[in-house]
Amino acid sequence: MSFDIDKIRNDFPVLGEKVYNKQLIYFDNGATTQKPSPVIEIINKYHSKLNSSIHRGVHFLSDQATNDYEDARKKVAEFINAEKSSEIIFTSGSTGSINMLAFSFGEKFVSEGDEIIITEMEHHANIVPWQMLCERKKAKLKIIPFNDEGILQTESLSTLITEKTKLVSVIHISNTLGTINPIKNIIEIAHRQSIPVMIDAAQSIQHLSVDVQELDCDFLVFSGHKAYGPTGIGILYGKEKWLENLPPYQGGGDMVDIVTFENTTYNEVPFKFEAGTTNYIGAIGMAEALRYIESIGLENIGKYETELMHYATKKLKETGIVTIYGNAPEKASILSFLIDGVHMADAGMMFDKLGIAVRVGTHCAQTVMQHFNIDGTVRASMSMYNTKEEIDYLCQTIHQVKAMLS
Ligand code: PLP
């Protein structure tokens, strides 16, 4: 299909809304994306016509829900080219997935003195769970730095790795700098020393093609709501050989085989990691969102968003009053910036009143702000439904904001 921006925008009802009597311009896609009609419709349909508990019932509705939930698992597997759908575990999102892995992997494979390697540009979701693990196990967290352009210093990985290193966990696209990290290279370096690698694909899955077999990553996570799907759902992908060897994270219904007061045996993978009633409607909604992405084509989306990013970078620079944080050559459509002499929070408030939704603050990446010795930035993160006209309006308002506030 060709890239029809008008049709795409029509698919997202919220884009027609006004805020403060101004046409909404939504540039907060890094936080969460808007939902297209097919996703909204399938969630409504499930709540109004098909709601039922999965894996447990013997009746029509339960059968249907179970089938659709397992089809959603197949869709996710296909989308990231996992070898088997059983390698997909449904979770509450990227944060839930990383906490699950940090607990489960940590319980089995991490001991006192061991090391986990992450990067300086991680979202808090890929820092804190590993820090908590390190505290529990008296292990050590090591950091791959980035330079002032926002480029990861991948060459330092080989020297950071020791015989004590148990896992490397890396953000694919920085939610703050926009940097696209060379994850294939990172995985190759780590695998040379037989160290598994987890990829945080929360910001990449909706922008570029991610093939877990081609990358050969051991684990990968993403969230539905950042990829046009619902909130409260995401996945942890793990190679079968790892998932078979990891202990469950939570106990409860559905994750068990036989329960007695003396002992419990667990269900097979992936069910042993899905305790309790899962967010099955979320999973079905997320699969619909992936189908929607496929209907537009990831390559078309990536091309369009890259064009938007280059246009926005040029336009922001042309204002002459903006500093951009994150200037890596390989970059996604995420722009963090500050207007000279204007506090980010004031700028955010002004943008809001003019109908523009941006994020201001640390973007859950305080260590990135510490690198630049700043409190935070304004972040405009663009998606397939944004336009050059919206970018022009943002740049015009930057001058207005500067005039009023500096
Ligand atoms: N990782 C990255 C790179 C993110 O940008 C985010 C959210 O902004 C997360 C992880 C956490 O995602 P969630 O809040 O959906 O669990």
Side-chain angles (χ1 to χ4, degrees):
M1 173 195 152
S2 65
F3 196 87
D4 183 345
I5 185 68
D6 293 332
K7 179 177 180 312
I8 290 170
R9 286 184 67 83
N10 276 334
D11 286 340
F12 291 81
V14 77
L15 298 180
E17 292 295 304
K18 290 194 167 175
V19 291
Y20 310 112
N21 224 16
K22 299 259 179 332
Q23 180 56 50
L24 168 70
I25 294 184
Y26 189 76
F27 279 145
D28 198 15
N29 297 288
T32 195
T33 52
Q34 300 300 344
K35 321 302 169 203
S37 299
V39 171
I40 297 167
E41 279 158 19
I42 201 146
I43 292 169
N44 280 345
K45 181 176 150 194
Y46 251 88
H47 281 298
S48 52
K49 291 187 190 299
L50 288 165
N51 181 50
S52 179
S53 185
I54 52 160
H55 292 160
R56 291 170 176 83
V58 290
H59 53 83
F60 177 86
L61 290 183
S62 180
D63 264 357
Q64 175 85 31
T66 303
N67 289 342
D68 289 350
Y69 180 69
E70 291 309 322
D71 277 352
R73 199 188 303 278
K74 284 185 198 137
K75 181 76 249 167
V76 175
E78 192 189 300
F79 194 81
I80 60 171
N81 194 28
E83 199 183 334
K84 298 177 175 179
S85 62
S86 56
E87 292 174 320
I88 307 299
I89 300 162
F90 286 119
T91 67
S92 59
S94 304
T95 305
S97 302
I98 301 172
N99 275 280
M100 175 185 285
L101 186 65
F103 179 87
S104 204
F105 185 89
E107 277 308 290
K108 180 92 185 228
F109 294 110
V110 179
S111 317
E112 185 167 347
D114 285 343
E115 298 163 353
I116 306 286
I117 299 178
I118 59 172
T119 81
E120 194 188 0
M121 65 172 83
E122 298 305 327
H123 184 282
H124 296 159
N126 199 29
I127 302 175
V128 185
W130 302 114
Q131 250 170 357
M132 290 161 74
L133 165 66
C134 289
E135 220 173 286
R136 272 200 314 275
K137 295 282 184 163
K138 296 189 174 58
K140 192 174 165 193
L141 200 59
K142 292 169 98 177
I143 313 295
I144 310 171
F146 65 83
N147 69 13
D148 290 347
E149 295 297 294
I151 302 168
L152 197 64
Q153 305 303 94
T154 309
E155 60 282 3
S156 70
L157 178 59
S158 315
T159 48
L160 285 171
I161 290 174
T162 70
E163 74 282 357
K164 289 285 188 187
T165 306
K166 287 294 184 298
L167 184 91
V168 176
S169 187
V170 176
I171 194 166
H172 189 183
I173 293 182
S174 162
N175 63 311
T176 308
L177 304 166
T179 311
I180 304 174
N181 287 316
I183 51 169
K184 183 136 175 78
N185 185 19
I186 290 170
I187 292 163
E188 274 166 16
I189 296 170
H191 280 183
R192 261 180 244 140
Q193 318 279 340
S194 306
I195 296 161
V197 180
M198 191 213 90
I199 300 299
D200 176 354
Q203 294 291 345
S204 59
I205 197 73
Q206 64 285 50
H207 297 299
L208 45 89
S209 162
V210 171
D211 180 329
V212 292
Q213 291 193 71
E214 203 249 320
L215 286 169
D216 199 26
C217 58
D218 299 273
F219 304 101
L220 180 136
V221 306
F222 70 82
S223 303
H225 72 102
K226 291 181 195 288
Y228 313 104
T231 49
I233 188 76
I235 65 116
L236 168 65
Y237 157 83
K239 279 183 183 167
E240 185 179 51
K241 66 170 188 185
W242 285 111
L243 296 185
E244 291 291 351
N245 270 301
L246 293 181
Y249 173 48
Q250 293 183 319
D254 223 20
M255 54 77 72
V256 292
D257 179 20
I258 294 170
V259 180
T260 67
F261 285 119
E262 289 70 41
N263 190 37
T264 292
T265 54
Y266 302 126
N267 204 338
E268 61 192 7
V269 170
F271 311 113
K272 83 170 171 184
F273 297 105
E274 294 179 359
T277 303
T278 55
N279 180 5
Y280 81 93
I281 297 183
I284 292 165
M286 177 167 66
E288 194 62 25
L290 299 181
R291 281 186 202 99
Y292 181 81
I293 291 174
E294 284 174 341
S295 76
I296 311 287
L298 253 181
E299 209 176 309
N300 296 331
I301 294 172
K303 237 189 251 166
Y304 180 75
E305 289 174 344
T306 304
E307 198 182 311
L308 282 185
M309 188 267 295
H310 287 308
Y311 184 78
T313 307
K314 179 171 159 282
K315 286 284 178 178
L316 278 179
K317 285 184 176 163
E318 278 172 14
T319 64
I321 50 170
V322 157
T323 307
I324 296 175
Y325 295 87
N327 292 291
E330 295 294 321
K331 219 185 134 172
S333 50
I334 294 172
L335 282 164
S336 276
F337 62 91
L338 285 173
I339 306 170
D340 300 346
V342 178
H343 193 271
M344 58 175 174
D346 296 334
M349 218 164 59
M350 283 283 296
F351 284 132
D352 176 43
K353 294 289 180 287
L354 294 164
I356 304 175
V358 290
R359 174 107 177 238
V360 296
T362 63
H363 322 303
C364 296
Q366 289 180 25
T367 56
V368 174
M369 304 308 149
Q370 286 153 17
H371 177 105
F372 292 109
N373 204 17
I374 53 176
D375 292 343
T377 66
V378 179
R379 183 183 71 182
S381 44
M382 289 158 287
S383 186
M384 65 163 116
Y385 41 65
N386 290 120
T387 64
K388 289 183 180 170
E389 290 72 32
E390 290 178 325
I391 293 166
D392 290 341
Y393 182 61
L394 173 76
C395 291
Q396 276 169 34
T397 59
I398 284 174
H399 287 291
Q400 257 176 284
V401 169
K402 168 82 177 163
M404 286 193 67
L405 293 176
S406 68

